Amino acid sequence: MRKISDDVKNPQSWCGLNNPEIDDRDADVIIFGIPFDGGVSYRGGAAEGPAVLRTNTKHSTPATERLCYYDSLKVKDAGDFTGDDREQMFAEVEDYVASLVEKGIHFTMVGGDHSVTIPVHRGINKALNEDFGIIHIDAHMDLSYALEGDLLSHGSTEQRALELSNISSLENLYFIGIRSIEPDEFEFYKKNPIQVKTAYDCYAEGIDAIADQCIERMKKFNKVYITFDIDALDPAYAAGTGTPQMGGLTGRMALTLLEKLFGQLNIIGFDVVEIAPPLDPSLAAMFAGRKIIQECWGAWADRIGKLERK
């Protein structure tokens, strides 16, 4: 079920942009949370991500790092999808995302562990009659068929995506920031042409070149979705996550990458997942996630003419 708490209704949330009473069709951006971490294979805590992030957006402004403002952007917090029955909850998310995509509404999802991206992918697929692209920014490819017997594991997100009717091949997926691989993923990787740029590649080739290569491969899709696991960042920038891996992207690299992707591809939605506040009292991962959302919204505001420059 979708839960609407008092915080969800607070107009100060999401940098003071929250318009909780408007109709979905009148929103420039819909944001919702999925506070679920039952798909993890290691450390939990990501279920607290949406609430902690929502609370801390009251203390930020609708501005980009280039000092542009977008206070006229209409954002609606649609609440959190919760429930003890995972399959039922995922089905509700799938239907809701499908309704947003059908209406052409940009949306942002906050997790939760990376398994909560599975119903989002399914919702996009349900709404479309064409192939779409997925850019997976993460320390892990999440291509395990199952982890510990769980087909809906946070390590199986993109394996489930490959089962969708509008993901016709591995060319629909592009992976950035990878630096860890499971045994079954390695076997899959050896046998299949995966489009992947490791964190090492990002350092060696430069993040601008990585972004350009990704854009060149993904521009054939009219619609692209970005899923951003906060562990794509080096733990120095985002320690509060369940499965951190040393050697990741810097904050500067991540923002430059997203700026280029949003500037040259039609990004219809994105998520930020695996922020686990209990694992880091400084909340560095949460603040990183907040900045990612702000910059991506600034890019959308620019596209629709709601970004104010000096």
Side-chain angles (χ1 to χ4, degrees), residues 24-308:
D24 286 1
R25 293 180 184 274
D26 295 324
D28 297 315
V29 178
I30 296 282
I31 187 165
F32 61 93
I34 311 179
F36 174 83
D37 60 8
V40 298
S41 57
Y42 189 36
R43 304 187 300 174
E48 297 184 28
V52 174
L53 186 55
R54 183 181 282 116
T55 296
N56 282 279
T57 57
K58 300 171 190 173
H59 306 281
S60 192
T61 57
T64 71
E65 65 171 358
R66 295 182 184 267
L67 308 185
C68 299
Y69 229 66
Y70 53 92
D71 56 340
S72 62
L73 191 74
K74 291 184 288 185
V75 174
K76 178 179 179 178
D77 189 336
D80 291 328
F81 286 86
T82 64
D84 296 328
D85 187 325
R86 178 173 63 174
E87 291 191 8
Q88 179 180 339
M89 179 180 66
F90 277 19
E92 291 173 356
V93 172
E94 179 181 336
D95 288 343
Y96 185 63
V97 169
S99 73
L100 297 178
V101 175
E102 287 168 355
K103 296 169 188 171
I105 301 170
H106 290 117
F107 69 94
T108 301
M109 182 272 282
V110 179
D113 69 55
H114 216 154
S115 71
V116 300
T117 300
I118 294 173
V120 175
H121 285 164
R122 289 173 173 174
I124 297 170
N125 186 72
K126 179 180 286 188
L128 299 180
N129 292 311
E130 60 179 314
D131 268 23
F132 66 98
I134 297 171
I135 300 174
H136 182 99
I137 306 171
D138 196 331
H140 317 86
M141 287 190 285
D142 297 347
L143 280 171
S144 290
Y145 183 74
L147 280 182
E148 299 176 354
D150 186 4
L151 293 173
L152 298 178
S153 163
H154 70 159
S156 303
T157 308
E158 302 309 345
Q159 194 63 244
R160 298 289 80 79
L162 289 171
E163 299 168 354
L164 301 175
S165 59
N166 291 310
I167 300 295
S168 58
S169 77
L170 279 163
E171 292 186 1
N172 295 62
L173 306 182
Y174 204 99
F175 299 86
I176 299 175
I178 309 303
R179 55 194 185 278
S180 177
I181 193 164
E182 296 293 320
D184 64 327
E185 289 179 314
F186 186 60
E187 292 303 314
F188 188 82
Y189 176 55
K190 288 192 297 182
K191 298 173 183 176
N192 293 281
I194 299 174
Q195 300 181 125
V196 57
K197 289 296 181 179
T198 66
Y200 179 85
D201 294 331
C202 293
Y203 279 86
E205 299 178 28
I207 200 64
D208 286 282
I210 296 296
D212 290 342
Q213 291 171 56
C214 178
I215 291 164
E216 183 62 29
R217 293 296 184 91
M218 303 304 282
K219 66 183 182 182
K220 63 184 176 182
F221 301 109
N222 293 323
K223 297 176 177 64
V224 177
Y225 184 76
I226 293 179
T227 179
F228 196 111
D229 187 323
I230 207 68
D231 71 25
L233 299 177
D234 189 90
Y237 302 91
T241 189
T243 53
Q245 291 284 341
M246 184 180 176
L249 305 184
T250 66
R252 174 74 274 135
M253 292 169 75
L255 295 180
T256 298
L257 172 65
L258 290 168
E259 180 182 31
K260 297 197 76 168
L261 297 180
F262 272 78
Q264 298 186 52
L265 297 172
N266 181 28
I267 310 300
I268 63 170
F270 71 94
D271 64 53
V272 182
V273 298
E274 297 282 358
I275 295 172
L279 300 179
D280 177 19
S282 76
L283 298 180
M286 184 281 300
F287 286 114
R290 188 180 75 175
K291 185 63 172 175
I292 287 167
I293 291 171
Q294 285 178 269
E295 294 300 319
C296 292
W297 285 359
W300 275 340
D302 191 22
R303 175 164 290 196
I304 63 176
K306 292 190 174 182
L307 187 71
E308 183 181 356

